[in-house]
């Protein structure tokens, strides 16, 4: 895929309340599960950043909604 398929989805402290951000923080198990799901969807270029202030998925995917669905499913 080309660079136009590079997407970023996430939440951060600037736009999301702490209680909501906590729901999106990924444990090691959730992170591993997300990568397995992504691989099953054919997504091989993926990076996940999860801290106390933000959770973001960077990746190459056919559509933004695929990464959004990954983030919201964990």
């Amino acid at each position: 895929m080309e660079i136009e398929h590079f997407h970023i989805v996430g939440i951060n402290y600037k736009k999301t309340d702490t209680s909501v951000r906590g729901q999106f923080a990924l444990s090691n198990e959730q992170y591993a599960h997300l990568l397995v799901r992504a691989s099953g969807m054919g997504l091989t270029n993926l990076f996940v950043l999860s801290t106390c202030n933000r959770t973001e998925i960077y990746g190459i995917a056919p559509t933004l909604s695929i990464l959004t669905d990954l983030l919201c499913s964990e």
Side-chain angles (χ1 to χ4, degrees):
M1 287 193 202
E2 302 296 325
I3 193 67
E4 66 265 11
H5 295 283
F6 177 76
H7 304 286
I8 303 168
V9 297
I11 59 170
N12 63 51
Y13 73 95
K14 292 181 181 179
K15 297 188 178 203
T16 310
D17 185 73
T18 305
S19 62
V20 174
R21 285 194 321 265
Q23 296 175 26
F24 286 87
L26 298 176
S27 68
N28 289 339
E29 182 179 303
Q30 289 169 311
Y31 176 72
H33 184 252
L34 184 145
L35 293 179
V36 168
R37 286 191 61 230
S39 179
M41 299 165 85
L43 303 176
T44 57
N45 298 302
L46 199 70
F47 178 82
V48 179
L49 177 63
S50 183
T51 71
C52 61
N53 286 324
R54 62 186 172 171
T55 300
E56 299 169 337
I57 299 176
Y58 301 77
I60 296 177
T63 65
L64 178 64
S65 64
I66 291 173
L67 296 185
T68 303
D69 291 345
L70 277 174
L71 178 64
C72 293
S73 68
E74 293 304 318

